[in-house]
Amino acid sequence: RRGILIRPGPLRRSTLLHHARGHYPLDFYMITDHSDGMGAITDIIGGAPNIMADEQGRYFHDAFNQGGEAAQKAAFELTSAFGQGQISPALNYQPGNPAYKRVWDDIVAAAEEFDNPGTFTTFVAFEWTSLVAGNNLHRNVIFRDGAERAGQIVPYTTTPPLGSPDPRDLWTWLQNYEDKTGGDVMAIPHNGNLSNGMMFALQDDFADGRSLDADYAATRQKWERLYEATQIKGDGESHPFLSPDDAFADFETWDYGNLDATVTKTQEMLPGEYARSGLQRGLLLGAELGVNPFKFGLVGASDNHIGLTTPDNDNFFGKFAAYEPSPERSQHVSKTYADGAPALYSWQYITSGLTAVWAEENTRSAIFDAMERREVYATTGPRMRVRFFGGWDFEHTDALGRTLAVTGYAKGVPMGGDLPAGEGAPSFLVYALRDPMGANLDRIQIIKGWIDAGGTPREKVHDVAWSDGRRIDEAGELPPVGSTVDLSVPTWVNTIGAAELGTVWTDPDFDPTLSAFYYARVIEIPTPRWTAYDAVKFDLELPADVPLITQERAYTSPIWYTPD
């Protein structure tokens, strides 16, 4: 099943629904409003008496109602004030505020109203908005339950005394929720690329840098079984500095600093920010603590704030209202450093990611259970169909049959699973089918990560299936697939690439004494990026550093090997 995790604000204009209609309907959906300040924006814009009685409240009321650049600037100032602990309590609505409860009740009621099992599933959810001095530690909290359980509580916030920015306190709240209601809930971190190294830290940053312990590792693994690896605020699978031998690592990279651009990024921060390095650090900590705290599957989402999900480059409406289609948006400065220098341009936002779930039916219980067992994968927008199984007995002929899933489950474990004990080297059955309305496939890769005998994290990208009869060259590289992109339209044609790819691959360097993980990455042929569509639509000459071509992709959840 395919769906998307999103965090929008309310719909601003019903007319957008027609113009932003996607190529396909979604199978499931969840709205995750921010935990802190829930309901405040409506009161700020409307000029509620308690807001107008506050100096900061009056400032934001005037700026938002002025619209345009003033409103956009105010939105970022509000985010930064919250992240730096400088927001007025009058604006930081918390549980107990009538407006807070009203918005939460509306979210729960909407999830109940539109849930249509078998056709379209909606979840109750919120975004726990931990922002530590501007460092992003947000988690999406997703409930398996409906109003009968989720309606008994209000979201956990990050503001003391009712809330806390410490993930350990969130996990305690999740446990209390399940104990109180008999329900089921999970948390999904996202945007480690804006955490300045805190997302996959090797120490407890909330306890003066104390070493992590086995309780931390076990608790995090219990509640955070997924990680949002791609979304509108940059791709978070890998980084070219961390993966210099990976030709596809520098994909939609955001590395300017933390969320509000108050602290510039350094190279030392990067290993604590990306999914691949996080998985490697999980192996390190697992060997040390006996439990791997970063044992997560990979999902995608949007994180937009216009109430629209637009994962397609030819119909991208942006993250905020200011970034909806216009001649100016691609060259607009989105964020600045404290000295006024540009930190981020609007052209760096990317289309929404998607979460694909292998579930037995389109219901809350089936989808949630599949997410808990990590049988999920992320795409950067296309609706590719991807299978990934690991085992010890796969044969090359297994990739040729049309009952691939039957073979995969019979002989191995699916994405998100653990390899059982076996002999020899593990083999992996992988298959991808292109988006029926999208681009052909360039290649399938299997990324292996492990910790060598000296305790050093290692990785290797293996091209395992590819199109057009290309051959690996003497340097061990697969030549590029080429390009059919015509930027004057813009468009592309599927005269290169393949509609489907699949194979069985066996690890040629397997060492049974070393822990490892494996996941598949599927790469499409080049297609026009949303900036190319804007350039034609608005007759623009964009600067040379604005990318006009992209190669969309999918990331499966890993399969882990742990020595006896």
Side-chain angles (χ1 to χ4, degrees):
R1 304 297 183 182
R2 293 182 294 276
I4 191 164
L5 315 177
I6 92 166
R7 286 168 295 289
L11 287 174
R12 298 179 183 274
R13 292 179 290 279
S14 60
T15 54
L16 290 179
L17 291 176
H18 172 73
H19 298 297
R21 182 176 297 163
H23 295 164
Y24 307 89
L26 295 170
D27 295 316
F28 66 93
Y29 202 84
M30 54 200 73
I31 293 174
T32 56
D33 203 350
H34 293 284
S35 59
D36 292 71
M38 191 177 290
I41 290 294
T42 301
D43 282 0
I44 291 172
I45 294 173
N50 60 302
I51 297 295
M52 300 306 289
D54 181 82
E55 181 180 0
Q56 194 180 62
R58 290 193 304 273
Y59 168 77
F60 284 117
H61 166 79
D62 293 341
F64 284 131
N65 281 281
Q66 185 177 339
E69 288 290 327
Q72 180 185 320
K73 178 174 177 288
F76 288 118
E77 288 177 342
L78 185 61
T79 300
S80 184
F82 174 77
Q84 299 300 323
Q86 298 170 355
I87 191 167
S88 168
L91 280 61
N92 189 15
Y93 284 11
Q94 295 290 300
N97 184 297
Y100 190 105
K101 182 66 161 57
R102 182 171 61 250
V103 171
W104 175 244
D105 288 346
D106 285 347
I107 290 172
V108 174
E112 293 297 272
E113 179 181 355
F114 293 99
D115 187 43
N116 185 10
T119 302
F120 181 62
T121 296
T122 51
F123 289 85
V124 179
F126 69 88
E127 180 177 4
W128 181 70
T129 319
S130 179
L131 196 57
V132 181
N135 298 335
N136 181 87
L137 292 174
H138 295 185
R139 268 80 167 165
N140 296 316
V141 176
I142 315 299
F143 297 87
R144 190 178 190 265
D145 316 302
E148 75 285 352
R149 289 191 174 95
Q152 297 180 36
I153 53 89
V154 291
Y156 186 63
T157 70
T158 69
T159 303
L162 296 177
S164 166
D166 187 343
R168 282 191 192 246
D169 294 326
L170 172 67
W171 304 333
T172 298
W173 185 89
L174 299 176
Q175 185 65 63
N176 290 340
Y177 166 80
E178 292 195 351
D179 293 343
K180 173 183 177 180
T181 67
D184 203 352
V185 65
M186 71 169 65
I188 306 175
H190 68 89
N191 279 121
N193 59 339
L194 300 175
S195 73
N196 276 6
M198 291 185 70
M199 183 59 75
F200 305 116
L202 292 172
Q203 68 287 327
D204 191 339
D205 292 321
F206 293 89
D208 299 321
R210 185 178 61 197
S211 297
L212 301 177
D213 54 26
D215 178 71
Y216 175 96
T219 307
R220 180 159 181 163
Q221 185 185 123
K222 174 181 179 179
W223 297 113
E224 299 185 0
R225 299 179 65 80
L226 301 176
Y227 177 69
E228 189 176 300
T230 189
Q231 60 129 272
I232 209 167
K233 297 200 301 295
D235 190 82
E237 183 234 354
S238 58
H239 188 282
F241 174 76
L242 302 174
S243 304
D245 297 326
D246 182 355
F248 291 92
D250 192 10
F251 177 72
E252 302 290 0
T253 304
W254 281 30
D255 53 10
Y256 66 86
N258 55 356
L259 182 64
D260 61 3
T262 53
V263 179
T264 304
K265 192 78 66 190
T266 66
Q267 291 179 344
E268 291 74 22
M269 298 173 181
L270 295 174
E273 299 201 338
Y274 285 84
R276 191 184 302 173
S277 54
L279 291 166
Q280 290 174 316
R281 286 186 163 193
L283 296 182
L284 277 171
L285 291 169
E288 176 185 342
L289 304 175
V291 184
N292 180 347
F294 306 142
K295 192 174 184 179
F296 50 79
L298 302 181
V299 295
S302 72
D303 198 357
N304 71 55
H305 289 70
I306 59 171
L308 293 170
T309 298
T310 53
D312 304 306
N313 280 282
D314 63 356
N315 201 17
F316 178 52
F317 267 72
K319 179 175 175 63
F320 301 104
Y323 307 152
E324 292 172 7
S326 73
E328 296 78 29
R329 71 164 174 173
S330 59
Q331 301 176 68
H332 183 265
V333 175
S334 175
K335 295 187 181 184
T336 59
Y337 294 115
D339 62 2
L344 183 78
Y345 291 89
S346 298
W347 61 258
Q348 292 176 273
Y349 286 94
I350 64 175
T351 56
S352 303
L354 291 174
T355 292
V357 176
W358 286 110
E360 295 178 357
E361 58 185 11
N362 191 351
T363 62
R364 282 177 182 166
S365 57
I367 293 171
F368 188 95
D369 292 350
M371 291 195 294
E372 278 204 323
R373 66 177 182 266
R374 301 182 292 249
E375 199 171 351
V376 299
Y377 61 94
T379 89
T380 56
R383 279 72 163 176
M384 306 179 203
R385 182 166 296 194
V386 184
R387 285 288 197 181
F388 185 52
F389 295 92
W392 303 91
D393 302 314
F394 288 117
E395 303 172 354
H396 284 284
T397 54
D398 291 331
L400 304 178
R402 307 315 291 179
T403 57
L404 183 143
V406 174
T407 302
Y409 287 113
K411 288 188 172 184
V413 296
M415 61 181 79
D418 291 275
L419 285 169
E423 296 182 358
S427 54
F428 297 87
L429 173 61
V430 62
Y431 170 84
L433 179 68
R434 79 167 214 205
D435 181 333
M437 295 182 66
N440 273 348
L441 306 178
D442 169 1
R443 67 188 73 192
I444 298 176
Q445 301 174 312
I446 292 180
I447 289 89
K448 176 186 177 181
W450 73 100
I451 308 300
D452 68 18
T456 302
R458 302 289 187 184
E459 65 175 59
K460 189 169 184 180
V461 179
H462 297 269
D463 292 303
V464 300
W466 54 86
S467 67
D468 299 293
R470 291 169 286 166
R471 294 180 179 274
I472 301 290
D473 62 24
E474 293 181 358
E477 302 292 331
L478 179 67
V481 69
S483 178
T484 64
V485 172
D486 181 350
L487 290 174
S488 69
V489 179
T491 191
W492 81 98
V493 291
N494 281 324
T495 54
I496 59 174
E500 61 178 344
L501 291 171
T503 192
V504 169
W505 174 81
T506 301
D507 183 358
D509 304 310
F510 180 67
D511 184 335
T513 68
L514 302 177
S515 295
F517 62 82
Y518 305 82
Y519 66 91
R521 182 171 67 184
V522 184
I523 309 288
E524 283 188 348
I525 65 171
T527 54
R529 193 176 184 269
W530 69 265
T531 44
Y533 289 97
D534 270 22
V536 171
K537 183 186 303 181
F538 301 114
D539 192 23
L540 303 174
E541 283 288 339
L542 295 178
D545 60 343
V546 177
L548 302 177
I549 297 175
T550 187
Q551 281 190 268
E552 304 279 13
R553 55 202 61 195
Y555 312 121
T556 73
S557 292
I559 294 173
W560 286 266
Y561 167 77
T562 305
D564 292 341

